[in-house]
């Protein structure tokens, strides 16, 4: 008696599953929409080659301690943070003297919008004779330095 009940339940499950598999159009409303129908994202205003040149120029200015040039390329908000004391304190956290640059890693870049404004974030590992650091630099749409983080 129990076997007959169990076999009826299994048969009912197979019938229901077969009906679902045979009629997928009836359930198309529940299916996720294809990616083609989603709105297209806005195109980034940044040129990869120009961005790479800006990053390497900023790294060179930081290495030299060229505060005036760093402040000239920075946004208004960043200028107050880019002082000789801040730059020297950041360098001292890694090593008293960095030495010459001996290598650079692959540069990683991304961009996105925040509150309607475009920003690019670039990251590159740089090796020096006495230490190695990773620069994370942010630029606004006008290619002004908007952020600098060194680890």
């Amino acid at each position: 008696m129990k076997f007959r009940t169990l076999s009826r339940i299994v048969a009912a499950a197979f019938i229901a599953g077969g009906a679902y598999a045979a009629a997928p159009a009836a359930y198309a409303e529940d299916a996720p929409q294809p990616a083609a129908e989603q709105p297209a994202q806005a195109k980034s205003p940044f040129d990869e080659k120009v961005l790479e040149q800006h990053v390497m120029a900023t790294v060179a200015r930081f290495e030299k301690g060229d505060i005036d040039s760093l402040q000239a390329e920075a946004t208004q908000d960043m200028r107050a943070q880019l002082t000789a004391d801040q730059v020297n304190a950041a360098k001292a956290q890694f090593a008293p003297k960095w030495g010459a640059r001996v290598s650079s890693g692959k540069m990683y870049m991304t961009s996105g919008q925040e509150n309607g404004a475009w920003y690019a974030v670039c990251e590159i590992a740089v090796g020096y004779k006495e230490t190695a650091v990773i620069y994370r630099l942010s630029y606004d749409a006008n290619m002004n330095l908007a952020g600098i983080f060194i680890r």
Side-chain angles (χ1 to χ4, degrees):
M1 192 68 142
K2 292 180 184 180
F3 181 73
R4 183 183 295 170
T5 305
L6 181 62
S7 65
R8 287 181 183 169
I9 292 173
V10 170
F14 281 134
I15 292 171
Y20 179 77
Y27 303 101
E29 297 173 356
D30 300 337
Q33 297 298 322
E37 294 180 18
Q38 295 177 354
Q41 292 182 344
K43 183 169 174 10
S44 169
F46 298 101
D47 180 6
E48 190 174 312
K49 296 288 183 197
V50 172
L51 196 55
E52 186 172 344
Q53 291 171 352
H54 273 272
V55 168
M56 295 313 292
T58 302
V59 168
R61 289 181 190 111
F62 185 84
E63 291 169 350
K64 294 177 191 172
D66 188 357
I67 305 305
D68 293 332
S69 295
L70 283 171
Q71 288 179 341
E73 77 166 320
T75 62
Q76 191 66 33
D77 295 337
M78 274 294 293
R79 289 184 184 141
Q81 308 303 319
L82 287 173
T83 64
D85 293 337
Q86 290 286 350
V87 170
N88 292 333
K91 287 182 178 182
Q93 288 183 2
F94 298 98
K97 293 191 178 208
W98 288 20
R101 184 188 321 169
V102 293
S103 65
S104 296
K106 180 177 170 132
M107 190 173 306
Y108 297 94
M109 303 177 211
T110 188
S111 62
Q113 279 185 307
E114 184 176 314
N115 297 328
W118 279 96
Y119 291 95
V121 179
C122 305
E123 192 168 278
I124 186 168
V126 179
Y128 297 95
K129 196 169 187 175
E130 300 297 324
T131 190
V133 297
I134 298 173
Y135 291 93
R136 184 177 296 152
L137 305 171
S138 305
Y139 295 91
D140 66 8
N142 298 322
M143 294 308 296
N144 294 321
L145 182 64
I148 185 168
F149 178 72
I150 302 166
R151 58 183 169 117

